[in-house]
Amino acid sequence: MVPLFVWGKYLAMLRLSTANLHALAPQVAQPAYDRSAISPGIVHLGIGAFHRAHMAVYVQHLLPKAPNWAIVGASLRRPDTKEALTPQDGLYTVAVRDASGTKCEVIGSIVGILDANQERVRLLEVMSHPAIGIISLTVTEKGYCHDPATGELDEKHPDIVHDLADPENPVSAPGLVVAAIERRQQAGVSPFAVMSCDNLPSNGKTVARIVGRLAELRSPQLGAYVREHIAFPSTMVDRIAPATTDADREAIGEMIGLEDAWPIMTEPFTQWVVEDHFPSGRPPFEEVGVELVRDVEPYERMKLRMLNGAHSSLAYLGYLAGHEYVSQVMEEPEFARLVRDLMTFEVIPTLHLPGVDLIKYRDQLLARFSNPALKHRTWQIAMDGTQKLPQRLLGTIRDRLQAREPITRLALGVAAWMRYVTGIDEYGQPIDVKDPLAKRLRAIADASHNEPIRLAVGMLTVSEVFGTDLASNEEFRETVTAHLKSLLENGSAATVAAVVRSLR
Ligand code: CS2
């Protein structure tokens, strides 16, 4: 039973909004610029937690110097962000957490949110406005409607089929971008830059290929226009931002003194490396800590293989071992040892980044994964494995196989994914597997009757993930199958312990 005075306090709490900023607790940072004097220069597709913890914070710190680069956000799937933030005039709290405590900042860089499903025409109008110089995206890996193994547009994807049939009313992110490019071209408006902030390999080049192909399917002229005039700078983005819970909402409300329907939890670490390729102009990103470089790819590869590769391995193995949060998995010495050795012996040798101390980067990652104040669910990271595995683990595996080097720890992450997508955990309970190919994976698992060789061989036929080379690589197949057998027979904790011990 909640005591009455708590209810009274909760009911009396004002909602975060421009008018109520005066009631904000004094220790909370807030926009250092006049929000009525800023205007949008960026349209961001996919206005979820990651964008709001990352790019929107950089833009908040840019706006005092560059007031014409505020953000209009669009949600492509659900209207919930718009519903939460519109009554708050787009304001929300970023709560930075670690063992030493929580620091809050109210972010005001998002000046409007559109729901792409309900306001498609308006969204295209805004994207086509001459003031907009950048279209940025965090639509997750699957939002690009591509084949994860090849990085090419999936021309049979239902959303792409739809967008080719009805190009004025696109539903996919590439479809929206192509429609806006066409509108601008027809109206003689200068082209924008398209900046992917998703964890895809060579994200700029990949999105250029996807958008270019979709435009070409519309018409060869539009395809040629995209190739010649649209810049697709690559980026490496990094900040851990777990999904917000109701307990977070309540705790942040208490801290800031106002009710916030959708605050974002994150860690102190943040990094953004951007390829400096914006022919039509960009804000002075370098003034707010963005690293502008000529070639982002080595940084991207480092981050995808080290951070995300370790993250996915921890997520599948940790979930199977019964751990809800990443930091709990890291408390298990054998698991922590496994990811440390995975990075040291199997990932770092595949990276070439002169001037970057990769051992230091590894240690920083281990500390970030162990942050006890961040409730990052293994289940959240386990989502969409078919879209994530190629760039996180399989590219590294290919490089190692080619160099005739062992892949034992890398293959354990892959085997754990195969075990996870069977949809039944180690206690016989169902796993809520979220993945665009979940049904197909489940059918493969059911047909294998948990027989390790059949399960591994069945999963390896998913060519969108493994291509054709890995499925026929004997060493890979055998290593994965041996791990899978152990995971099915002994469980995740015992398998991890045995692998760590055998390689000591
Ligand atoms: C995570 C990433 O959910 C996931 O798959 O691995 O979102 C990760 O937290 C970010 O890439 C960190 O920058």
Side-chain angles (χ1 to χ4, degrees), residues 38 73 92 98 130 147 193 211 259 269 271 294 299 313 323 338 373 404 419 423 445:
I38 59 175
Y92 65 96
D98 65 12
D147 178 327
V211 168
E259 184 198 341
F269 184 92
Q271 189 177 17
R294 279 188 54 193
Y299 295 89
S313 303
H323 297 299
L338 177 81
R404 299 188 181 283
R419 170 69 190 83

Side-chain angles (χ1 to χ4, degrees), residues 309-440:
H311 236 184
S312 288
S313 303
L314 282 169
Y316 297 118
L317 290 163
Y319 183 98
L320 291 170
H323 297 299
E324 186 170 6
Y325 302 120
V326 175
S327 60
Q328 293 171 332
V329 190
M330 291 298 289
E331 279 169 26
E332 298 291 331
E334 311 282 19
F335 283 75
R337 178 68 191 252
L338 177 81
V339 278
R340 185 176 188 274
D341 291 352
L342 169 79
M343 293 196 265
T344 316
F345 300 117
E346 299 189 12
V347 182
I348 289 179
T350 70
L351 301 172
H352 310 283
L353 244 114
V356 176
D357 183 343
L358 292 169
I359 294 296
K360 198 165 143 205
Y361 184 67
R362 174 202 70 188
D363 290 343
Q364 215 174 14
L365 291 178
L366 294 170
R368 291 171 64 196
F369 295 158
S370 305
N371 182 347
L374 226 50
K375 302 279 177 253
H376 203 185
R377 293 180 71 189
T378 49
W379 175 83
Q380 187 187 344
I381 301 166
M383 256 183 240
D384 294 341
T386 56
Q387 314 292 303
K388 294 175 174 173
L389 246 45
Q391 56 274 20
R392 295 182 176 207
L393 293 171
L394 303 179
T396 322
I397 287 177
R398 283 193 176 89
D399 286 356
R400 300 276 299 167
L401 288 171
Q402 204 174 3
R404 299 188 181 283
E405 299 287 356
I407 54 164
T408 317
R409 303 172 185 90
L410 289 158
L412 181 54
V414 179
W417 169 77
M418 291 179 175
R419 170 69 190 83
Y420 178 88
V421 297
T422 63
I424 304 290
D425 74 11
E426 293 183 2
Y427 307 95
Q429 297 303 311
I431 305 174
D432 183 10
V433 177
K434 297 276 188 223
D435 193 288
L437 303 185
K439 272 203 189 122
R440 202 163 122 207

Side-chain angles (χ1 to χ4, degrees), residues 50 141 199 237-241 267 303 307-308 311-312 368 376 380-383 388 392:
F50 179 74
E141 296 85 347
N199 288 317
V237 292
D238 190 6
R239 195 168 209 187
I240 295 174
E267 57 173 344
K303 193 250 168 174
L307 188 156
N308 298 111
H311 236 184
S312 288
R368 291 171 64 196
H376 203 185
Q380 187 187 344
I381 301 166
M383 256 183 240
K388 294 175 174 173
R392 295 182 176 207

Side-chain angles (χ1 to χ4, degrees), residues 92-107:
Y92 65 96
T93 314
V94 166
V96 176
R97 282 183 168 171
D98 65 12
S100 69
T102 304
K103 275 203 198 95
C104 294
E105 176 173 4
V106 168
I107 305 296

